[in-house]
Amino acid sequence: MTTTRSRQFFPRWSVHGDGRTVAPDAVVAPDERLSWPRTIGIGMQHVVAMFGATLLVPTITGFPVTTTLFFSGLGTAIFLLATRGRIPSYLGSSFAFIAPLAATAGDGPAAQLGAVLVVGVVLFLVGLLVRLAGSRVLDAVMPPLVTGAIVALIGLNLASTAATSYEAQPLVATVTLVAVLLVTVAVPGLIGRLGILVGVVVGWVFAAVTGALDPARVDALGSASWIGLPEFTGPSFQLSVVLVALPVVVVLVAENVGHVKAVAAMTGRSLDDVAGDALMADGAATVLAGAGGGSGTTTYAENIGVMAATRVYSTAAYWVAAATALVLSFSPKFGALIFTVPSGVIGGATLVLYGLIGLLGVRIWQEAGIDFTRPLNLMVAAAALVAGVGDLTLTIGSVELGGIVWGSVGILVAYPVLRALSERRRD
């Protein structure tokens, strides 16, 4: 009994094919893996893919970097356990928290952490509702037209971030981008599947040689300790701060469900029955982060891009990523090293990754056979995408909401209403 139960949480990954290659028309499923050296390499690539964004959030909000890294690794482990190894995902820092945390900076980090914790609790309860009600809730609320739009706008909403990073150091970004493309497309075997990691390393080396690294960050790297504990901080609770952060729940639900749908589309497996578990897991991870001093978490778009590029969806690679993040969180030296990665390198890599995410939404539409000659489908998807891509930002009271929220909420509300009106007109 104990062995059977443990296998539910830790699947016995079967080796895919010969463990070395993936056929052009095949994918490595979540319960499969390549050879362990290749799996470890791909797991490390997932760590690299999430670093830029995960560590950017605490950099902007002032939260401790190694603490955020610690809770992202712990949260990923919780997610893999809660979804029983069926959904490959890394839980990194959510960008959705940046705006409310910036707006409440004057209230202090403890009050901000309390708001993060409450958001996690609400997200957990939403996940519990989805789990109890079953996948029919998702089918009714988020049909393929809606989920495809949300996945697409989440990826394309990040386009300006990638472009801004690229423009900051265009030569470094171009070298990074070319390296990613050439290695991924032209190099066979393991190295080809680590194209993003190789591209980032090549970009960083080029930046170091050409003097494009920030001297202050290089100096900080030299003085940082090799080993040290993350900085843990407890929360406090202020209603005004909590109310500012609560709309983030909408984004986290959209991102998590979009991630589940994207992975299902890429692997050809229905995962609606574990969507509630995914929401609950992210909620629990966010609660822990808020309780200890880390940024709130979410399923990571960057890692969807890595999976799309490698066609490896093995959850074994994510266990490697989680363990790596936890180990590295105890090294201030490593945190300082990550800070030396320049904007150009991030821009070159994310120019590819964010585009891949957007195209996954299009793939969901294609595979569901969405008919865009119907005005209903065409209009609601068009409005949602432009709101997301243009990052439509509006303020309600003291709460500022961006394009992902308006695009997601807009299509979630508009589609069923307009569909009902369309059906009534036909009657």
Side-chain angles (χ1 to χ4, degrees), residues 191-212:
I191 300 301
R193 300 207 173 275
L194 300 179
I196 297 166
L197 173 59
V198 174
V200 168
V201 172
V202 169
W204 187 92
V205 171
F206 179 81
V209 171
T210 57

mmCIF file of all heavy atoms in Angstrom, residues 191-212:
data_model
loop_
_atom_site.group_PDB
_atom_site.id
_atom_site.type_symbol
_atom_site.label_atom_id
_atom_site.label_comp_id
_atom_site.label_asym_id
_atom_site.label_seq_id
_atom_site.Cartn_x
_atom_site.Cartn_y
_atom_site.Cartn_z
ATOM 1 N N ILE A 191 23.064 18.617 -26.860
ATOM 2 C CA ILE A 191 23.382 20.047 -26.952
ATOM 3 C C ILE A 191 22.255 20.791 -27.657
ATOM 4 O O ILE A 191 21.869 21.894 -27.248
ATOM 5 C CB ILE A 191 24.722 20.257 -27.687
ATOM 6 C CG1 ILE A 191 25.858 19.562 -26.946
ATOM 7 C CG2 ILE A 191 25.025 21.752 -27.810
ATOM 8 C CD1 ILE A 191 26.049 20.041 -25.529
ATOM 9 N N GLY A 192 21.693 20.186 -28.677
ATOM 10 C CA GLY A 192 20.598 20.823 -29.385
ATOM 11 C C GLY A 192 19.383 21.037 -28.518
ATOM 12 O O GLY A 192 18.647 22.016 -28.688
ATOM 13 N N ARG A 193 19.160 20.126 -27.576
ATOM 14 C CA ARG A 193 18.008 20.259 -26.689
ATOM 15 C C ARG A 193 18.276 21.226 -25.540
ATOM 16 O O ARG A 193 17.379 21.547 -24.778
ATOM 17 C CB ARG A 193 17.604 18.885 -26.144
ATOM 18 C CG ARG A 193 17.234 17.933 -27.263
ATOM 19 C CD ARG A 193 16.252 16.880 -26.825
ATOM 20 N NE ARG A 193 15.811 16.117 -27.991
ATOM 21 C CZ ARG A 193 14.823 16.499 -28.787
ATOM 22 N NH1 ARG A 193 14.185 17.622 -28.539
ATOM 23 N NH2 ARG A 193 14.484 15.770 -29.820
ATOM 24 N N LEU A 194 19.496 21.674 -25.408
ATOM 25 C CA LEU A 194 19.844 22.659 -24.385
ATOM 26 C C LEU A 194 20.156 24.003 -25.033
ATOM 27 O O LEU A 194 20.978 24.771 -24.551
ATOM 28 C CB LEU A 194 21.055 22.174 -23.575
ATOM 29 C CG LEU A 194 20.862 20.856 -22.826
ATOM 30 C CD1 LEU A 194 22.144 20.480 -22.092
ATOM 31 C CD2 LEU A 194 19.700 20.951 -21.855
ATOM 32 N N GLY A 195 19.466 24.288 -26.143
ATOM 33 C CA GLY A 195 19.766 25.477 -26.920
ATOM 34 C C GLY A 195 19.619 26.770 -26.137
ATOM 35 O O GLY A 195 20.429 27.701 -26.297
ATOM 36 N N ILE A 196 18.612 26.856 -25.287
ATOM 37 C CA ILE A 196 18.398 28.085 -24.528
ATOM 38 C C ILE A 196 19.510 28.281 -23.503
ATOM 39 O O ILE A 196 20.051 29.378 -23.345
ATOM 40 C CB ILE A 196 17.017 28.058 -23.850
ATOM 41 C CG1 ILE A 196 15.926 28.007 -24.928
ATOM 42 C CG2 ILE A 196 16.819 29.274 -22.948
ATOM 43 C CD1 ILE A 196 14.569 27.647 -24.418
ATOM 44 N N LEU A 197 19.852 27.199 -22.809
ATOM 45 C CA LEU A 197 20.944 27.274 -21.836
ATOM 46 C C LEU A 197 22.254 27.646 -22.523
ATOM 47 O O LEU A 197 22.979 28.536 -22.060
ATOM 48 C CB LEU A 197 21.085 25.930 -21.117
ATOM 49 C CG LEU A 197 22.285 25.771 -20.174
ATOM 50 C CD1 LEU A 197 22.252 26.814 -19.077
ATOM 51 C CD2 LEU A 197 22.303 24.363 -19.590
ATOM 52 N N VAL A 198 22.556 26.992 -23.637
ATOM 53 C CA VAL A 198 23.786 27.295 -24.360
ATOM 54 C C VAL A 198 23.782 28.738 -24.851
ATOM 55 O O VAL A 198 24.788 29.456 -24.760
ATOM 56 C CB VAL A 198 23.966 26.320 -25.543
ATOM 57 C CG1 VAL A 198 25.166 26.727 -26.405
ATOM 58 C CG2 VAL A 198 24.144 24.895 -25.041
ATOM 59 N N GLY A 199 22.633 29.194 -25.357
ATOM 60 C CA GLY A 199 22.531 30.567 -25.831
ATOM 61 C C GLY A 199 22.781 31.583 -24.737
ATOM 62 O O GLY A 199 23.455 32.596 -24.954
ATOM 63 N N VAL A 200 22.240 31.319 -23.543
ATOM 64 C CA VAL A 200 22.447 32.233 -22.417
ATOM 65 C C VAL A 200 23.927 32.261 -22.023
ATOM 66 O O VAL A 200 24.491 33.335 -21.761
ATOM 67 C CB VAL A 200 21.568 31.813 -21.221
ATOM 68 C CG1 VAL A 200 21.983 32.553 -19.956
ATOM 69 C CG2 VAL A 200 20.099 32.074 -21.530
ATOM 70 N N VAL A 201 24.568 31.099 -21.984
ATOM 71 C CA VAL A 201 25.988 31.046 -21.638
ATOM 72 C C VAL A 201 26.821 31.781 -22.674
ATOM 73 O O VAL A 201 27.714 32.582 -22.333
ATOM 74 C CB VAL A 201 26.464 29.582 -21.501
ATOM 75 C CG1 VAL A 201 27.978 29.522 -21.340
ATOM 76 C CG2 VAL A 201 25.771 28.909 -20.323
ATOM 77 N N VAL A 202 26.524 31.542 -23.950
ATOM 78 C CA VAL A 202 27.255 32.226 -25.023
ATOM 79 C C VAL A 202 27.063 33.730 -24.917
ATOM 80 O O VAL A 202 28.021 34.513 -25.035
ATOM 81 C CB VAL A 202 26.789 31.713 -26.404
ATOM 82 C CG1 VAL A 202 27.347 32.597 -27.529
ATOM 83 C CG2 VAL A 202 27.225 30.272 -26.614
ATOM 84 N N GLY A 203 25.821 34.157 -24.673
ATOM 85 C CA GLY A 203 25.547 35.584 -24.539
ATOM 86 C C GLY A 203 26.272 36.208 -23.363
ATOM 87 O O GLY A 203 26.807 37.317 -23.460
ATOM 88 N N TRP A 204 26.286 35.479 -22.234
ATOM 89 C CA TRP A 204 26.965 36.008 -21.043
ATOM 90 C C TRP A 204 28.475 36.128 -21.284
ATOM 91 O O TRP A 204 29.087 37.139 -20.915
ATOM 92 C CB TRP A 204 26.706 35.092 -19.849
ATOM 93 C CG TRP A 204 27.232 35.637 -18.539
ATOM 94 C CD1 TRP A 204 26.546 36.395 -17.636
ATOM 95 C CD2 TRP A 204 28.546 35.471 -18.001
ATOM 96 N NE1 TRP A 204 27.347 36.714 -16.562
ATOM 97 C CE2 TRP A 204 28.590 36.158 -16.755
ATOM 98 C CE3 TRP A 204 29.688 34.807 -18.429
ATOM 99 C CZ2 TRP A 204 29.727 36.197 -15.955
ATOM 100 C CZ3 TRP A 204 30.836 34.853 -17.639
ATOM 101 C CH2 TRP A 204 30.852 35.536 -16.420
ATOM 102 N N VAL A 205 29.068 35.117 -21.899
ATOM 103 C CA VAL A 205 30.514 35.161 -22.192
ATOM 104 C C VAL A 205 30.825 36.316 -23.134
ATOM 105 O O VAL A 205 31.791 37.061 -22.935
ATOM 106 C CB VAL A 205 30.984 33.820 -22.792
ATOM 107 C CG1 VAL A 205 32.421 33.940 -23.299
ATOM 108 C CG2 VAL A 205 30.879 32.710 -21.747
ATOM 109 N N PHE A 206 29.993 36.494 -24.161
ATOM 110 C CA PHE A 206 30.203 37.606 -25.091
ATOM 111 C C PHE A 206 30.093 38.943 -24.364
ATOM 112 O O PHE A 206 30.895 39.859 -24.599
ATOM 113 C CB PHE A 206 29.179 37.534 -26.225
ATOM 114 C CG PHE A 206 29.304 38.649 -27.226
ATOM 115 C CD1 PHE A 206 30.262 38.590 -28.230
ATOM 116 C CD2 PHE A 206 28.479 39.757 -27.158
ATOM 117 C CE1 PHE A 206 30.396 39.623 -29.154
ATOM 118 C CE2 PHE A 206 28.592 40.795 -28.071
ATOM 119 C CZ PHE A 206 29.552 40.723 -29.073
ATOM 120 N N ALA A 207 29.105 39.059 -23.477
ATOM 121 C CA ALA A 207 28.945 40.305 -22.722
ATOM 122 C C ALA A 207 30.150 40.560 -21.823
ATOM 123 O O ALA A 207 30.623 41.700 -21.688
ATOM 124 C CB ALA A 207 27.662 40.249 -21.891
ATOM 125 N N ALA A 208 30.678 39.489 -21.209
ATOM 126 C CA ALA A 208 31.855 39.643 -20.341
ATOM 127 C C ALA A 208 33.068 40.084 -21.138
ATOM 128 O O ALA A 208 33.826 40.972 -20.704
ATOM 129 C CB ALA A 208 32.137 38.323 -19.625
ATOM 130 N N VAL A 209 33.263 39.506 -22.312
ATOM 131 C CA VAL A 209 34.427 39.829 -23.137
ATOM 132 C C VAL A 209 34.356 41.256 -23.667
ATOM 133 O O VAL A 209 35.375 41.951 -23.773
ATOM 134 C CB VAL A 209 34.549 38.827 -24.307
ATOM 135 C CG1 VAL A 209 35.620 39.270 -25.308
ATOM 136 C CG2 VAL A 209 34.875 37.437 -23.777
ATOM 137 N N THR A 210 33.151 41.706 -23.992
ATOM 138 C CA THR A 210 32.993 43.040 -24.581
ATOM 139 C C THR A 210 32.728 44.124 -23.541
ATOM 140 O O THR A 210 32.461 45.273 -23.903
ATOM 141 C CB THR A 210 31.833 43.017 -25.593
ATOM 142 O OG1 THR A 210 30.621 42.578 -24.938
ATOM 143 C CG2 THR A 210 32.154 42.093 -26.749
ATOM 144 N N GLY A 211 32.790 43.779 -22.274
ATOM 145 C CA GLY A 211 32.598 44.771 -21.216
ATOM 146 C C GLY A 211 31.167 45.206 -21.025
ATOM 147 O O GLY A 211 30.913 46.325 -20.557
ATOM 148 N N ALA A 212 30.202 44.337 -21.364
ATOM 149 C CA ALA A 212 28.780 44.696 -21.259
ATOM 150 C C ALA A 212 28.151 44.286 -19.935
ATOM 151 O O ALA A 212 26.959 44.501 -19.733
ATOM 152 C CB ALA A 212 28.002 44.068 -22.414
#
